[in-house]
Amino acid sequence: GAVVSQHPSRVICKSGTSVKIECRSLDFQATTMFWYRQFPKQSLMLMATSNEGSKATYEQGVEKDKFLINHASLTLSTLTVTSAHPEDSSFYICSARGRTGITETQYFGPGTRLLVL
Amino acid sequence: GIQVEQSPPDLILQEGANSTLRCNFSDSVNNLQWFHQNPWGQLINLFYIPSGTKQNGRLSATTVATERYSLLYISSSQTTDSGVYFCAVGETSGSRLTFGEGTQLTVNP
């Protein structure tokens, strides 16, 4: 099946610093990538949809200036958490839309655990 | 937006038992996926099943689109089946997904 990687898998940072998370589709081209956030014991919440070569579309309530998304190529999207604060601590998961036959499914990365001290 | 409800929220089984997980959704969908999130957080694709029935080993799923629900069947459960099972739906085939709250499954030896 399709493989999506994320880096780093875990990051601890001080409050006020910025953190960049990479999402790569390893064996297919992804015109669209999605970024989700998951708090402990909760479901996944979509943050933004990232299309290659265009600006990301953010969900209501997600600050676009705080969560910068860049989708510079068909295999790479990045999420930068700017001026991170402890409330930004969460599990961030990306997915990439790929085509399997005639259907399109989302394949998920392994996630990045962010802890802001 | 589309509402997704999963039941039960928690399920504890003995190894070897069978189970059925349910996903109800509030509107017509053209994308429905079942995922298993393992204890390390990785989401594993189980089924892409906007309608019909599919089987993969001990797992099978059925979606009745006209009645807006999907069922995931796990037979002869194993301890490695433990984790959270999510149902996620989308209005179109490759669109954004809305996740349910998940079913936390624990399979005891």
Side-chain angles (χ1 to χ4, degrees):
Chain A
V3 179
V4 177
S5 70
Q6 275 185 248
H7 178 80
S9 59
R10 185 184 300 267
V11 58
I12 301 173
C13 69
K14 293 182 178 179
S15 185
T17 61
S18 294
V19 174
K20 180 184 283 189
I21 302 170
E22 292 186 349
C23 176
R24 293 181 184 272
S25 56
L26 298 184
D27 52 359
F28 65 101
Q29 293 184 330
T31 55
T32 303
M33 291 185 173
F34 303 87
W35 287 94
Y36 295 83
R37 181 167 52 182
Q38 185 181 30
F39 291 107
K41 304 248 183 244
Q42 294 187 23
S43 186
L44 280 75
M45 297 298 294
L46 181 66
M47 298 175 66
T49 301
S50 166
N51 291 299
E52 186 265 338
S54 64
K55 291 184 178 180
T57 302
Y58 290 81
E59 295 298 302
Q60 191 172 7
V62 178
E63 300 175 55
K64 62 180 181 180
D65 294 330
K66 181 169 184 62
F67 298 99
L68 301 179
I69 292 173
N70 182 278
H71 193 160
S73 76
L74 288 173
T75 60
L76 174 64
S77 176
T78 61
L79 167 67
T80 301
V81 183
T82 62
S83 187
H85 288 97
E87 58 265 30
D88 298 324
S89 299
S90 188
F91 189 48
Y92 292 86
I93 310 173
C94 73
S95 72
R97 189 174 80 186
R99 182 173 293 273
T100 304
I102 61 171
T103 64
E104 290 191 337
T105 60
Q106 286 189 31
Y107 298 93
F108 284 76
T112 297
R113 294 195 185 278
L114 171 63
L115 176 61
V116 184
L117 302 177
Chain B
I2 297 175
Q3 304 298 313
V4 183
E5 292 183 357
Q6 290 187 243
S7 60
D10 296 278
L11 185 59
I12 300 175
L13 303 173
Q14 286 300 120
E15 203 167 22
N18 303 326
S19 62
T20 301
L21 282 57
R22 187 178 180 101
C23 172
N24 293 331
F25 43 95
S26 62
D27 208 341
S28 299
V29 299
N30 286 297
N31 185 352
L32 189 148
Q33 294 182 240
W34 282 97
F35 298 92
H36 173 213
Q37 188 171 39
N38 66 23
W40 296 272
Q42 172 74 64
L43 279 163
I44 309 297
N45 290 63
L46 297 178
F47 295 102
Y48 171 87
I49 186 166
S51 65
T53 297
K54 290 185 178 179
Q55 181 161 5
N56 184 2
R58 296 182 295 105
L59 302 181
S60 63
T62 295
T63 297
V64 183
T66 54
E67 297 187 22
R68 299 181 185 170
Y69 73 88
S70 183
L71 302 174
L72 177 69
Y73 305 97
I74 305 174
S75 64
S76 304
S77 58
Q78 301 176 357
T79 57
T80 51
D81 294 332
S82 296
V84 183
Y85 289 80
F86 287 106
C87 165
V89 303
E91 293 180 8
T92 60
S93 174
S95 68
R96 57 194 294 277
L97 292 175
T98 300
F99 279 75
E101 292 300 309
T103 292
Q104 173 74 59
L105 174 65
T106 303
V107 181
N108 292 320

